Amino acid sequence: MLPTNTNKLKWLPELRTKTNSTYYGIDGASFLIYTSPVLFMAALGCIYLHIAKKSNASNMERCNVPKLDVAIFKRPILVKGPLGIVSGTELAFLLMFIALLIWSFATYLHNGFATVTPQLAAADGQTIWQEKFDSAAVRVALIGNICLTFLFFPVARGSSMLPFFGLTSESSIKYHIWLGNIVMTLFTVHGICYIIFWAVTDQISQMVKWDKVGISNLAGEIALIFGLFMWIATIPRIRRKFFELFFYTHHLYILFIVFFIFHVGSTYACLMLPSFYLFMVDRYLRFLQSRNQVRLVSARVLPCEAVELNFSKAHGLTYNPTSVMFINIPSISKLQWHPFTVTSNSNLELEKLSVVIKSGGTWTQKLYKMLSSNLAIDRLGVSVEGPYGPVSTDFLRHDTLVLISGGSGITPFISIIRELLFLKTTFKCKTPKVVLICSFRTYSSLSMIDLILPVSSTPYDISNLELQIEAYITKDKEPQSNSHIHLQTKWFKPNPTDVSIYAILGPNSWLWLGVIISSSFIIFLIIIGIIGRYYIFPIDHNSNLIFSFSLRSFLHMLVICGSIAVVASTVVLLNKKNNAKEAKKVQNLELSTPTVSPSSMIYNVDRELESLPCQSLVQATNVHYGVRPDLRRLLFEIKGSSVKVLASGPTKMRHEVAAICSSGLAENLHFESISFSW
């Protein structure tokens, strides 16, 4: 309703009359309309997700998963193109959003041009077309504000808004990309239009205007420059070739937002505040978690130039399959954070969390060389963020799971198979048939399949699952004897200050997150109200001075950051005390003599295959040499009324699988892409 005269001439004046006070001024209406409802929804979402988490755990124990058919909403419609893989639901919402932008711009222009008269233009010293050009340039920015309102929702990894709607941050990152491109296009057009307008009307000095009241042009230009730097660095070719440039440049979002708020003022900033507020809460919690060095217990070096890192994990930390954890190793790079799939299962492995890292880029190559060398390494300092993942899974809703991977794309499927193994072994659940179709370049990469079975004192027999593995070796045409080298296992001696990986907000994390969101915002409103009543109001109303809009915006930003920092830090400290006792027990247990000696964990592939569980794994595996999988034939041969198809790996492969599933030739195929594009 923003562009309409109903809002501008009727609703907004009436709301401002009722909310205008000595505490908040005209900002009160903006807080009430734009900010409060979204944050209230986020807090309610936290309560809902907490209840859903308890309900999901109870349903899993009873193997009671509702057979809801939501696959039709996820069926791919677009497979190739600039948007990537897009489902029918995503396409529908995208078209509606574009329609909203077009309608808003048209309505803004219609209502704005209606007020442009020869008398108004003459009073401003302009012609009719110049007045309309000025009006249109402003309206372009207002449309950009609508996009900016949603920009930060997809990148708040631990926020309640995305899972409330059944989304994850990883799967939603493409929305952030779409919105970012639209935002920067509109804001760039807005800036260029005003430069042209000032040049035509001989007002070029307006470019350096930073008024005490109203719009600050210079602040907007600075914000646009920072935005352009970020935008240029996101060009796919630049991002792929100079990823560190993209990574570091993207942190300019802080300055972009600061100067944007200086440009438009705190009143207009309330429109985009909710998403950025939730992002700030999430970002500060990530900062608090990343300050700790975690306990890296051991590392397994695989013959395919991959390593498995095994961390100590608190018992209270739970996560779902396909979760992702961000890792920082200061000895390699103090600033770089890289996401990796968690392959362990929080139910099967109560004290261990594992990730598999395949050597590829510069960072991963340095890590592999460090761990595969013969040099003794007593300790490796590591910081983490996460894990992040889906709130719930729907694997039990299908008759068959088809997992299609390329290269290291097999890692999320390891966690899925382990979850099904846990449900089958512990609760005797009826699990779907699993068909794993994995493609590797070399024979040595087959060692990735060995990771499906967890290294545990409790044997888990893979034969409990109906598992079929079709492994394709595309480069080697026969087994390579020199690939059967020993798997190296390195054990570390963590410092006493290293901590087990634990949920930063404890087992009731969603409830605590709701407390942080609601409490920090209430504290913000109280402090801003006091500042407005006893500092800003006397200057505006009891003197001839006018309180600076920029200073008002700065105070708002300062109080928001302070409120979030105080409340979040307090909650984290409370949960840290609760975790201290458990962490102490785990530390004492690990420092004592291990029940399994390190030497017994250093084994080769042949020795590992002697165990009964691994024999079952070998029997379930068919290896094909020198060929690529015929995905169309393999998928069409799958029987069952409901077949879930998950694809993880190279973009070309995922597009091929999506095209097959969306062709309509097999109605039982329900596609989902796993692409960790963070």
Side-chain angles (χ1 to χ4, degrees):
M1 295 298 292
L2 268 178
T4 63
N5 283 329
T6 303
N7 174 71
K8 182 179 179 180
L9 303 178
K10 184 178 180 182
W11 291 2
L12 192 57
E14 186 175 346
L15 279 168
R16 284 180 173 173
T17 300
K18 294 182 177 180
T19 58
N20 197 359
S21 65
T22 58
Y23 294 93
Y24 301 107
I26 62 172
D27 289 345
S30 298
F31 287 136
L32 180 66
I33 300 171
Y34 305 130
T35 309
S36 300
V38 181
L39 296 185
F40 180 68
M41 188 193 306
L44 282 183
C46 292
I47 299 174
Y48 166 79
L49 292 170
H50 175 76
I51 297 173
K53 182 180 179 181
K54 301 295 183 182
S55 176
N56 288 335
S58 177
N59 287 334
M60 281 298 179
E61 292 182 6
R62 298 193 302 268
C63 300
N64 180 24
V65 179
K67 304 289 184 179
L68 298 177
D69 186 12
V70 297
I72 189 173
F73 300 108
K74 297 183 178 181
R75 185 178 294 275
I77 298 297
L78 300 179
V79 175
K80 297 181 180 180
L83 299 181
I85 301 173
V86 181
S87 69
T89 305
E90 291 172 330
L91 183 60
F93 274 97
L94 176 61
L95 293 176
M96 286 192 291
F97 186 73
I98 293 174
L100 170 66
L101 298 184
I102 295 173
W103 175 84
S104 298
F105 186 60
T107 306
Y108 271 131
L109 283 184
H110 178 268
N111 294 335
F113 287 175
T115 62
V116 175
T117 61
Q119 294 78 13
L120 177 64
D124 294 336
Q126 300 170 8
T127 63
I128 293 290
W129 80 266
Q130 290 173 344
E131 193 78 31
K132 289 185 176 181
F133 189 78
D134 183 12
S135 177
V138 173
R139 271 61 183 180
V140 170
L142 294 178
I143 302 305
N145 286 351
I146 297 176
C147 301
L148 191 62
T149 301
F150 296 93
L151 184 63
F152 289 93
F153 283 122
V155 289
R157 299 171 191 162
S159 169
S160 61
M161 293 300 287
L162 291 177
F164 182 72
F165 293 103
L167 301 170
T168 62
S169 182
E170 184 279 323
S171 64
S172 304
I173 201 72
K174 58 185 175 184
Y175 311 145
H176 175 74
I177 297 172
W178 298 350
L179 289 166
N181 285 322
I182 299 174
V183 164
M184 287 312 305
T185 299
L186 293 173
F187 284 171
T188 302
V189 171
H190 167 70
I192 292 174
C193 286
Y194 261 106
I195 292 175
I196 295 172
F197 173 74
W198 291 327
V200 169
T201 57
D202 297 326
Q203 301 181 71
I204 204 69
S205 61
Q206 289 287 324
M207 290 187 66
V208 294
K209 174 186 174 184
W210 193 315
D211 282 351
K212 190 175 183 181
V213 179
I215 299 295
S216 300
N217 296 337
L218 181 60
E221 292 154 10
I222 295 173
L224 180 59
I225 291 172
F226 288 133
L228 288 173
F229 278 129
M230 286 191 292
W231 196 24
I232 293 171
T234 61
I235 296 173
R237 183 173 296 180
I238 296 177
R239 178 177 177 174
R240 283 193 299 266
K241 194 171 183 178
F242 307 101
F243 181 79
E244 290 192 12
L245 175 65
F246 158 79
F247 179 79
Y248 297 132
T249 305
H250 227 62
H251 287 82
L252 292 174
Y253 76 87
I254 300 172
L255 296 175
F256 171 80
I257 290 297
V258 168
F259 282 96
F260 170 80
I261 295 175
F262 282 147
H263 175 58
V264 301
S266 57
T267 302
Y268 270 108
C270 288
L271 191 64
M272 54 74 61
L273 178 59
S275 68
F276 192 66
Y277 194 99
L278 296 176
F279 172 77
M280 285 192 295
V281 170
D282 177 71
R283 188 66 190 86
Y284 186 69
L285 290 174
R286 285 160 46 195
F287 165 75
L288 292 178
Q289 185 184 22
S290 65
R291 292 181 64 193
N292 297 319
Q293 294 269 303
V294 297
R295 296 174 61 82
L296 178 61
V297 178
S298 66
R300 282 205 294 172
V301 182
L302 280 68
C304 58
E305 296 191 356
V307 294
E308 180 189 56
L309 302 182
N310 299 304
F311 300 92
S312 174
K313 178 184 80 72
H315 285 262
L317 175 63
T318 60
Y319 47 85
N320 283 316
T322 70
S323 291
V324 173
M325 189 168 68
F326 285 75
I327 294 179
N328 169 260
I329 301 179
S331 59
I332 298 178
S333 173
K334 293 183 179 180
L335 296 178
Q336 290 188 40
W337 289 81
H338 294 267
F340 299 100
T341 310
V342 178
T343 55
S344 56
N345 182 276
S346 59
N347 297 308
L348 284 178
E349 298 143 294
L350 298 178
E351 297 179 355
K352 186 182 78 170
L353 186 150
S354 304
V355 298
V356 174
I357 301 175
K358 186 77 165 65
S359 179
T362 304
W363 190 91
T364 54
Q365 286 176 354
K366 289 180 180 178
L367 175 63
Y368 177 77
K369 290 178 180 178
M370 181 189 302
L371 295 177
S372 61
S373 66
N374 295 324
L375 298 176
I377 303 176
D378 291 335
R379 176 183 178 272
L380 187 62
V382 182
S383 297
V384 302
E385 291 179 4
Y388 307 102
V391 175
S392 62
T393 57
D394 63 349
F395 305 133
L396 297 184
R397 294 174 180 169
H398 303 276
D399 303 321
T400 305
L401 287 181
V402 180
L403 313 176
I404 304 176
S405 69
S408 59
I410 193 176
T411 51
F413 299 149
I414 294 173
S415 62
I416 293 175
I417 295 174
R418 288 189 184 185
E419 175 75 1
L420 296 176
L421 182 61
F422 165 73
L423 294 174
K424 187 72 173 181
T425 304
T426 307
F427 300 119
K428 309 300 179 184
C429 292
K430 180 183 178 182
T431 56
K433 177 184 177 181
V434 180
V435 179
L436 173 61
I437 303 172
C438 45
S439 178
F440 305 107
R441 290 188 68 253
T442 60
Y443 178 73
S444 62
S445 298
L446 278 177
S447 56
M448 300 282 284
I449 297 178
D450 297 332
L451 300 176
I452 291 176
L453 284 174
V455 177
S456 173
S457 57
T458 303
Y460 291 97
D461 192 353
I462 204 73
S463 63
N464 289 332
L465 290 178
E466 192 178 354
L467 175 64
Q468 174 187 348
I469 302 176
E470 301 293 335
Y472 290 81
I473 311 300
T474 58
K475 183 179 179 181
D476 298 332
K477 296 185 178 181
E478 60 182 14
Q480 304 294 310
S481 58
N482 59 353
S483 296
H484 277 277
I485 61 177
H486 288 198
L487 293 177
Q488 301 178 25
T489 300
K490 291 200 173 185
W491 293 80
F492 303 103
K493 299 177 182 178
N495 287 342
T497 55
D498 292 345
V499 299
S500 300
I501 298 176
Y502 64 94
I504 189 68
L505 297 180
N508 296 319
S509 57
W510 287 120
L511 288 182
W512 281 117
L513 180 61
V515 169
I516 293 173
I517 293 171
S518 55
S519 300
S520 60
F521 186 62
I522 291 172
I523 292 173
F524 161 72
L525 290 178
I526 292 173
I527 295 176
I528 285 299
I530 293 173
I531 292 175
R533 177 65 181 85
Y534 297 104
Y535 182 45
I536 298 176
F537 179 79
I539 294 177
D540 279 347
H541 295 271
N542 299 337
S543 67
N544 294 324
L545 301 175
I546 297 177
F547 197 83
S548 169
F549 277 31
S550 297
L551 181 56
R552 187 196 301 262
S553 299
F554 174 76
L555 289 174
H556 278 70
M557 289 186 281
L558 186 65
V559 174
I560 285 176
C561 294
S563 302
I564 292 173
V566 169
V567 175
S569 299
T570 303
V571 171
V572 169
L573 286 175
L574 289 174
N575 281 284
K576 194 172 183 179
K577 290 182 178 179
N578 294 334
N579 290 325
K581 294 182 180 179
E582 182 184 349
K584 188 71 174 177
K585 292 179 182 179
V586 173
Q587 181 178 341
N588 293 335
L589 181 63
E590 291 180 350
L591 291 177
S592 63
T593 304
T595 56
V596 181
S597 64
S599 60
S600 67
M601 298 297 293
I602 304 175
Y603 49 86
N604 58 32
V605 176
D606 295 330
R607 180 178 175 185
E608 186 179 5
L609 293 180
E610 291 174 1
S611 65
L612 178 61
C614 286
Q615 286 179 1
S616 301
L617 188 61
V618 170
Q619 292 171 1
T621 304
N622 297 316
V623 183
H624 310 268
Y625 296 97
V627 293
R628 297 182 179 275
D630 185 351
L631 296 176
R632 178 177 292 271
R633 177 184 61 81
L634 291 171
L635 286 174
F636 287 167
E637 288 178 353
I638 301 295
K639 305 301 179 184
S641 59
S642 178
V643 179
K644 180 80 168 183
V645 180
L646 294 100
S648 174
T651 303
K652 185 177 179 181
M653 183 211 70
R654 289 185 288 108
H655 286 175
E656 181 183 355
V657 177
I660 296 170
C661 295
S662 62
S663 64
L665 299 177
E667 295 294 334
N668 61 338
L669 301 180
H670 308 307
F671 174 79
E672 182 174 338
S673 173
I674 300 178
S675 59
F676 299 104
S677 53
W678 267 316

